[in-house]
Amino acid sequence: MRAAVISDIHSNLPALEAVLAAIDNREEAIEEIWCLGDVVGYGAQPDPCAELVRERCEICLIGNHDLAVLGQLDISSFSAAAADAVRWTIENAAPETIEMLRPLSPSGLRSGMAIFHASPRDPVWEYVLSADQASECMQLQPERISLIGHSHVALYFVGADGDGEGEGTVTRGAQAPAGFTVDLAEGRWLLNPGSVGQPRDGDPRAAWLELDTAEPAAIFHRVEYDVDEAARPILESGLPKHLAERLYAGQ
C-alpha cells in the first residue's frame, strides 16, 4: 500500500491544499493519508484545515497544540506567540473543529507501523532531534518502523534490529532533503515527515512523506505553496506578526 504521511498543519490552509494536490497528482496512487497531529495552532484557518483532515485522512493523531485548544494541556510552557494562538483558536474555532479533535489519540498503529505525534517515549511532548534520543526511543517502540512529528523538521533515524544492545547497533540519522529516499527493509526506523504548515528546517516549502508499505520504502517530499495567502489571514486576525513572518524563512 502507498500512504502519505503529513504532520503539523497548524491551521495553514494553503500549505495543506498544496500538499493534498501533490498527493493526488502522484503517478502511483496514494491509497491512504495519515496525519500525525497538530491540525490547529499558530495559523488562522483552523476550520477548513480540520474539515479537510476529516474528509481526507484515514487516521489522525492529536498533537500538543490540539490538546491545548481542547483545554487538556497547560499552555504555561508554550511560547508567548504559541499561547496567543491557542487562545485565539479557542475563541474562533467552530464547534465542529473542536469535536473533530476531541476523540483523537497521540499514538496509534497503522499497517504494521507505530505512529506518534512526538515520540514513542512521550507521544505528546518529546522533540526527537538527535541520534541518541532516537536510539532510546527505538528501544521502546512497539514496531520496527515508527513515524513521528512535532519537531517540524524532516528527519530519518535508523538503528539495528534487536534490543539496542551490543555491537553494530549505532543509530544514525540526518535531515532529509526533498526527494531523499530510504530503504526500510532492514533496521529499526524513526521517520519524521516534517511540517505541512510551519517547517523549521530552513526550507519554507510544505513537507510530506510518501510510504510504500510493501517494499518497504519512503520518499521525502517538499511542495511550494503561496506563503502570502497563509500569512495574510494571520496578520488580519491580530495574531502575532512573527507567526506570519516565520513562514517565509522556514524557521
Side-chain angles (χ1 to χ4, degrees):
M1 180 185 71
R2 287 192 174 268
V5 185
I6 63 175
S7 190
D8 300 282
I9 298 162
H10 285 299
S11 298
N12 186 335
L13 181 61
L16 178 58
E17 289 177 333
V19 166
L20 292 175
I23 290 169
D24 291 341
N25 288 330
R26 290 297 290 164
E27 192 169 311
E28 294 190 65
I30 301 294
E31 298 165 79
E32 293 190 356
I33 303 175
W34 308 343
C35 178
L36 304 184
D38 273 354
V39 176
V40 302
Y42 292 126
Q45 296 174 292
D47 297 336
C49 288
E51 179 63 23
L52 278 175
V53 168
R54 179 168 44 235
E55 290 176 354
R56 298 296 308 274
C57 295
E58 275 68 30
I59 188 169
C60 182
L61 303 183
I62 198 164
N64 56 306
H65 287 258
D66 304 324
L67 285 166
V69 167
L70 293 178
Q72 297 179 18
L73 199 66
D74 183 4
I75 61 172
S76 62
S77 61
F78 280 40
S79 69
D84 284 346
V86 168
R87 287 187 284 265
W88 181 93
T89 305
I90 291 171
E91 293 174 0
N92 290 276
E96 292 81 4
T97 294
I98 302 302
E99 291 310 307
M100 176 264 182
L101 298 173
R102 198 176 300 282
L104 305 181
S105 168
S107 62
L109 295 171
R110 195 76 178 179
S111 298
M113 298 183 183
I115 58 176
F116 307 91
H117 174 65
S119 85
R121 180 164 53 185
D122 183 343
V124 174
W125 269 118
E126 184 177 14
Y127 293 91
V128 181
L129 294 167
S130 73
D132 287 344
Q133 283 179 290
S135 180
E136 293 167 0
C137 286
M138 285 176 188
Q139 295 179 47
L140 300 175
Q141 66 190 42
E143 302 291 340
R144 190 174 64 82
I145 300 169
S146 288
L147 305 169
I148 59 173
H150 190 54
S151 73
H152 296 215
V153 179
L155 294 164
Y156 71 92
F157 295 100
V158 58
D161 287 330
D163 60 9
E165 298 180 358
E167 301 242 352
T169 60
V170 174
T171 298
R172 58 184 177 83
Q175 288 191 28
F180 187 74
T181 301
V182 290
D183 181 346
L184 305 174
E186 297 181 354
R188 295 180 73 78
W189 292 84
L190 275 175
L191 302 175
N192 190 322
S195 172
V196 170
Q198 195 192 85
R200 295 179 187 166
D201 52 10
D203 185 342
R205 295 177 296 173
W208 69 283
L209 182 71
E210 181 178 355
L211 273 178
D212 184 335
T213 63
E215 285 295 329
I219 308 171
F220 290 84
H221 294 287
R222 301 307 280 256
V223 181
E224 298 273 2
Y225 75 96
D226 191 335
V227 179
D228 289 340
E229 288 300 310
R232 186 176 299 112
I234 294 173
L235 297 173
E236 291 174 348
S237 72
L239 284 164
K241 185 179 179 182
H242 163 67
L243 297 179
E245 292 174 339
R246 72 186 303 174
L247 299 178
Y248 293 92
Q251 294 291 350

